[in-house]
Amino acid sequence: MPAPVDDDIEHVALDEDYVLTPGFVEKVVDASDAGDGLKLRSLLEDLHPADVADLMGFLTSEHRAVVVLWLPPDLLADTLPELDDGIREEVLERVPHLTLAEALQELDSDDAAAVVEDLEDDQRERVLAAMPEVDRAAIESSLGYEEDSAGRLMQREVMAAPAFWNVGDTIDHIRKQGEELPELFFDIYVVDPLNKPVGGVAISRLLRAPRPTPLTEIMDPVNEITVDQDQEEVAYIFEKYHLISAPVTDAAGRLVGQITVDDIVNIIQEENREDILRLAGVSDEDRGSNVGEIVRGRVPWLAINLATAVLGASVIGWFEGTIQQIVALAVLMPIVSAIGGNAGTQALTVTVRALATRELNSSNAPRTFWRELAVGVANGFVLAPLIGVAAGLWSQDWRIGAVIAAAMVLNLMVAATVGVLTPLTLSKLKFDPAVSSAVFVTATTDFFGFLIFLGLATIVLL
């Protein structure tokens, strides 16, 4: 019979959905409150860095301050790139600069640069000064590129081989590198005497080829990424050509680094999150954001919504006399604007996504516009009879039913038009179509929804 195991030591951190269990989080909180560093290290040392980062999001600032001090340097190093930006900045303030310098040496240059970027200037100087010259130079070189560029995204650790080598030469070289090998790489880049990539050999293909085989016989063309390309452009190239990795070249075409698919997954998620938040008029928030930061990010957009709501309300004021004579209109008019707003948002979302994935451009924009307009008309003819009959029976006046049915069709056409043309226009003007499109579409469908419905009612009913 096996000896009983202390429940404080044995723990199941994750449930069947790979989510941290409440019981495990409670154990970490209790150990933190008790200042039991050995218990904390026992709980955390077997966790994946991504799970440690997730755990930090469940903890308060006070508990994070204790937990981070007991993370082993290698686990701390792998956890830092996984943290939400706000939480990472807070955690970095708690880590001694010597500990942080040691941890950063465990990371690839791209991840280390991303962490150092979040440091305050004085802390950054102390951390870099405590690092070996080679690691410090690699980080400073990465930080010299634009923030969202391929140069900032790439890792400088890359495996290259001259074009005159064969498979055996390459394998022997790789084995001799030992600790100098990149932590993650999928291809060997074949370079000419000027260090310009002329092809790439997948590791799987290299290992299957006979040793005397020249690299030039088994290499494939590569999709080169330049250091100044935007990270969104890089993500598009990876998605389109199904890349696992790609070489990065400088202005002279020389190999200076590589980008791997794990970095691209993060970029795609980041870009998608930004677009979703911007469509709702919300800034980039995470679990580390405080109330003040959230309010500052949301209030400007709410103020814009307030202004557009006043614009829509002013239309109602133009038809005050009509509403006073036919009170039923006040009950029915929100239906027209609400359906129009939802339809406009649908067209907008589809269009913004198509622009982001480059499925929509000037060549097929007219076709997309007419398709969405046809969808709007079809939706109108489906919904108009339903609301028309219901409104006619409720008000006991078939003319009111006819008015709201006609207004529904017309406003859905307006919704489809602005839902497509607004992001297309913003994109043409070099603005992000996800930023302000939703506000404009909602304001337009409200304005024209009220105007069409009340205008038709005035003409037909009075």
Side-chain angles (χ1 to χ4, degrees):
M1 181 176 178
V5 180
D6 186 352
D7 183 61
D8 285 341
I9 300 299
E10 183 183 42
H11 57 273
V12 178
L14 305 175
D15 63 18
E16 64 274 9
D17 295 321
Y18 297 96
V19 178
L20 289 169
T21 63
F24 179 79
V25 176
E26 185 178 350
K27 288 181 179 181
V28 173
V29 170
D30 290 342
S32 177
D33 287 335
D36 191 343
L38 295 179
K39 175 68 177 297
L40 282 174
R41 180 160 291 187
S42 170
L43 289 168
L44 301 175
E45 62 185 359
D46 293 330
L47 284 184
H48 189 279
D51 295 320
V52 178
D54 197 26
L55 172 66
M56 290 295 193
F58 289 113
L59 301 178
T60 64
S61 298
E62 292 75 16
H63 291 129
R64 288 184 206 129
V66 177
V67 169
V68 72
L69 296 177
W70 288 95
L71 289 176
D74 56 341
L75 181 56
L76 173 63
D78 293 332
T79 299
L80 288 174
E82 303 285 344
L83 293 171
D84 292 338
D85 291 343
I87 295 176
R88 182 165 63 196
E89 291 177 8
E90 178 187 311
V91 166
L92 290 174
E93 294 176 358
R94 307 283 186 175
V95 181
H97 72 278
L98 293 178
T99 302
L100 186 55
E102 180 182 355
L104 291 177
Q105 294 173 50
E106 303 291 330
L107 295 176
D108 290 329
S109 56
D110 57 333
D111 290 331
V115 173
V116 171
E117 181 183 13
D118 287 339
L119 298 175
E120 297 293 337
D121 291 342
D122 56 342
Q123 187 182 15
R124 181 184 304 175
E125 291 179 5
R126 292 197 303 271
V127 170
L128 290 176
M131 296 181 68
E133 184 175 349
V134 174
D135 295 324
R136 180 172 67 250
I139 292 175
E140 290 176 339
S141 176
S142 294
L143 293 176
Y145 296 107
E146 293 292 330
E147 183 175 351
D148 293 328
S149 67
R152 182 69 69 89
L153 182 64
M154 73 177 182
Q155 63 181 76
R156 302 184 69 84
E157 298 82 10
V158 62
M159 204 65 211
F164 59 83
W165 276 9
N166 60 27
V167 169
D169 296 328
T170 307
I171 292 175
D172 292 341
H173 176 71
I174 292 174
R175 287 174 175 167
K176 290 177 182 177
Q177 294 302 300
E179 295 295 328
E180 299 300 320
L181 281 174
E183 182 176 344
L184 181 67
F185 68 104
F186 304 97
D187 298 287
I188 307 294
Y189 299 115
V190 182
V191 296
D192 65 13
L194 297 177
N195 201 38
K196 296 181 179 181
V198 295
V201 180
I203 295 295
S204 57
R205 190 170 187 180
L206 180 79
L207 296 178
R208 288 198 299 264
R211 288 180 62 88
T213 306
L215 292 180
T216 51
E217 289 187 9
I218 60 172
M219 71 181 186
D220 294 313
V222 291
N223 297 87
E224 295 182 22
I225 306 293
T226 59
V227 290
D228 57 352
Q229 281 186 270
D230 186 86
Q231 64 180 21
E232 195 168 352
E233 172 79 12
V234 176
Y236 172 74
I237 293 172
F238 266 71
E239 281 191 289
K240 181 175 182 179
Y241 297 107
H242 309 292
L243 303 181
I244 297 177
S245 66
V248 181
T249 57
D250 61 14
R254 295 185 296 265
L255 179 68
V256 292
Q258 68 170 340
I259 294 176
T260 52
V261 69
D262 59 315
D263 298 312
I264 297 303
V265 170
N266 293 334
I267 295 303
I268 294 173
Q269 291 178 337
E270 179 184 321
E271 296 292 343
N272 288 342
R273 181 181 67 176
E274 286 181 0
D275 286 345
I276 291 172
L277 292 174
R278 286 172 175 174
L279 277 171
V282 180
S283 61
D284 193 7
E285 301 168 6
D286 56 41
R287 289 178 293 184
S289 302
N290 58 45
V291 173
E293 292 171 340
I294 295 173
V295 170
R296 284 194 296 273
R298 297 186 186 182
V299 161
W301 291 106
L302 292 176
I304 294 173
N305 284 331
L306 178 61
T308 57
V310 171
L311 180 63
S314 66
V315 177
I316 300 174
W318 299 346
F319 297 95
E320 183 178 354
T322 302
I323 296 173
Q324 287 177 348
Q325 295 183 54
I326 309 172
V327 179
L329 300 178
V331 178
L332 296 174
M333 63 184 182
I335 298 175
V336 178
S337 64
I339 296 298
N342 287 333
T345 301
Q346 289 175 340
L348 169 67
T349 303
V350 170
T351 305
V352 169
R353 177 196 169 278
L355 286 170
T357 57
R358 306 197 182 189
E359 297 173 5
L360 178 60
N361 53 41
S362 57
S363 64
N364 63 349
R367 184 169 69 251
T368 300
F369 169 75
W370 290 114
R371 183 194 66 189
E372 288 297 329
L373 186 59
V375 169
V377 173
N379 287 338
F381 280 115
V382 170
L383 298 175
L386 300 177
I387 187 61
V389 170
L393 292 174
W394 173 75
S395 64
Q396 297 183 344
D397 188 340
W398 66 267
R399 295 178 303 165
I400 291 180
V403 166
I404 194 171
M408 182 74 71
V409 174
L410 292 174
N411 200 32
L412 286 176
M413 292 174 64
V414 171
T417 301
V418 297
V420 175
L421 293 184
T422 298
L424 281 175
T425 302
L426 289 172
S427 179
K428 191 72 174 177
L429 297 174
K430 306 302 181 183
F431 292 108
D432 188 342
V435 174
S436 55
S437 295
V439 175
F440 185 82
V441 168
T442 303
T444 305
T445 53
D446 284 351
F447 181 88
F448 282 99
F450 294 141
L451 180 63
I452 293 170
F453 178 58
L454 296 176
L456 288 175
T458 301
I459 295 171
V460 174
L461 302 175
L462 297 182

